[in-house]
Amino acid sequence: MEEDIKEVLLDEEQIYEVVKKIGTQISKDYEGKNLLLISVLKGSVVFMADLMRAITIPCKIDFMVVSSYGDKAVSSGTVKIIKDLDINLSGYDLLIVEDILDTGRTLKSLMEILKTRNPNSVKICTFLDKPDRRAVSLSADYMGTQIPDEFVVGYGLDYDEKYRNLPYLGILKREVYSK
Ligand code: IMP
Ligand code: MG
């Protein structure tokens, strides 16, 4: 795997610092609230596992699997729910936990769906943000780091379902995905 990485963007220690900072902020902001972390599988699983342990207030967790309808052909960016939540959302303060905010289509659509279910609030926490690629107006409430418009893998993020288990975040060599 290592040989496919062009550059390490964040090593394990840097990731730890980033996650700790977000966890501290969330713990302050959600004190006394009814926090429910919603991890969007699979990309956010590593971030979720670290973030929940960096949060020092009580919270619950749940998981969703969504898929974007089509790709280039569909500009509406409607997501299809493959695995839904197990919890009734009324009364919860939702925090959607994502690996990366890219075009923003997935999260925008997901947020709209979740808002119809009567939660107290819905916010977004993303480990990475690629602002250059945004196609809809959406910004994260909590964000780890902004990254340039490069394809990154590791720390949960994949290319063709591979590299998720790399403990750091790296830029994938172009020749790997332009083959
Ligand atoms: P979008 O914001 O709706 O365009 O979709 C975000 C999703 O695209 C993420 O959850 C990732 O699965 C995927 N994605 C976007 N950029 C990257 C990247 O650089 N590496 C790996 N996956 C990415
Ligand atoms: Mg993903």
Side-chain angles (χ1 to χ4, degrees), residues 13-74:
E13 273 167 41
Q14 290 168 317
I15 290 173
Y16 177 80
E17 290 307 321
V18 166
V19 176
K20 200 169 73 175
K21 204 168 147 198
I22 309 175
T24 304
Q25 190 60 48
I26 291 171
S27 305
K28 264 192 214 153
D29 296 352
Y30 284 85
E31 180 80 62
K33 296 195 175 172
N34 204 4
L35 176 60
L36 174 62
L37 300 175
I38 298 175
S39 160
V40 184
L41 295 173
K42 305 169 198 165
S44 72
V45 73
V46 183
F47 176 46
M48 177 73 160
D50 284 346
L51 180 69
M52 60 191 275
R53 287 175 293 177
I55 292 175
T56 54
I57 56 166
C59 69
K60 294 185 183 173
I61 64 166
D62 206 347
F63 298 88
M64 281 185 99
V65 178
V66 300
S67 82
S68 300
Y69 271 133
D71 43 16
K72 285 164 243 154
V74 181

